[in-house]
Amino acid sequence: MALLPILRYPDPRLHTRAAPVAAVDDEIRALVRDMAETMYEAPGIGLAATQVNVHKRVVVIDVSEDKSALMAFINPEIVERDGEQVCEEGCLSVPGIYEKVTRAERVKVRALNGEGEPFELEADGLLAVCIQHEIDHLDGKVFVEYLSALKLGRIKAKLAKKARITA
Ligand code: GNR
Ligand code: NI
C-alpha cells in the first residue's frame, strides 16, 4: 500500500484526458488500493486517477460516514442523467475552495468494478455529484472551471497567494 501525492490546481497535468483501461490486472488492482488509501487519508469522498498523475480511467468513491462502502469505477460512463441539483463542492486538488455547482440530480453509470466485472448503478444526491465530479477529472476538467471567469480568477489568486506562503 502507498499514499500517492495529489496534483494541485492549476497543475496542467490535471487537464489530461485519461485513457481507457484495457484489462483490470494486478497493476490496476494495486492502483485502486493505493487510491483508496490516499482518498481515506486525505480525507475525501472520491478520487480520480488523474489527481495522482495516473492518466487511466479509474475512480474510487466512498460517500459513507464510516469508510464502509468503497466503490471502484473503471472506465465509467454515464448512460442516463436526469434533473438538476446544486451542491457545494470541494476538491482535493483545489484545497480550501468550496463553491456551488449545478449538476444532474440522478445518473445511471456503467463501469467495471475492481474485479473487472461490468455493473450499472443508479445514483442520486451526493453520490451522483461525486460520480460526475470524478468523471470530469478523467476528462481533464476541474470543478472550478464551471464557475464564472471572475470567480475562477479570484480562486487562482487565492491559491497562488497560499502557494507563496507554504513555499
Ligand atoms: O472529498 C471530496 N468531496 C466532495 C464534496 C462535494 C462534491 C464533490 C466532492 S469530491 C472531493 C474529492 C475529490 O476531489 N475528488 O476528485
Ligand atoms: Ni476533485
Side-chain angles (χ1 to χ4, degrees):
M1 299 271 275
L3 287 177
L4 307 170
I6 297 176
L7 299 179
R8 298 286 181 92
Y9 188 80
D11 191 311
R13 292 172 290 182
L14 286 168
H15 297 130
T16 312
R17 191 179 167 81
V21 170
V24 180
D25 54 15
D26 287 349
E27 187 190 325
I28 295 295
R29 280 189 287 271
L31 174 64
V32 166
R33 282 196 298 273
D34 289 346
M35 284 174 60
E37 190 186 359
T38 303
M39 171 183 75
Y40 287 130
E41 198 270 341
I45 59 171
L47 189 70
T50 309
Q51 291 176 277
V52 294
N53 200 30
V54 176
H55 301 288
K56 296 178 183 172
R57 300 188 80 81
V58 176
V59 162
V60 293
I61 293 179
D62 187 344
V63 294
S64 71
E65 303 230 313
D66 57 354
K67 305 181 171 187
S68 64
L70 179 65
M71 289 182 282
F73 297 82
I74 296 160
N75 300 340
E77 273 180 83
I78 293 174
V79 294
E80 282 178 35
R81 55 178 83 228
D82 268 301
E84 268 191 10
Q85 62 176 320
V86 179
C87 176
E88 180 122 17
E89 298 194 18
C91 182
L92 296 172
S93 296
V94 199
I97 304 292
Y98 302 90
E99 296 285 347
K100 285 178 183 160
V101 177
T102 303
R103 295 195 188 265
E105 163 58 24
R106 198 191 65 83
V107 296
K108 187 196 273 188
V109 62
R110 188 176 293 158
L112 303 177
N113 65 18
E115 288 356 328
E117 301 155 347
F119 70 100
E120 278 188 2
L121 174 74
E122 286 194 28
D124 59 14
L126 183 60
L127 178 57
V129 169
C130 196
I131 289 168
Q132 293 170 82
H133 176 117
E134 303 312 340
I135 293 176
D136 273 354
H137 276 304
L138 300 181
D139 292 331
K141 183 147 184 159
V142 181
F143 86 103
V144 291
E145 293 161 355
Y146 286 108
L147 306 174
S148 68
L150 177 65
K151 272 195 178 178
L152 184 55
R154 286 178 179 156
I155 288 166
K156 282 182 175 169
K158 191 170 165 180
L159 292 171
K161 188 175 174 188
K162 207 168 77 177
R164 282 199 300 277
I165 294 166
T166 18

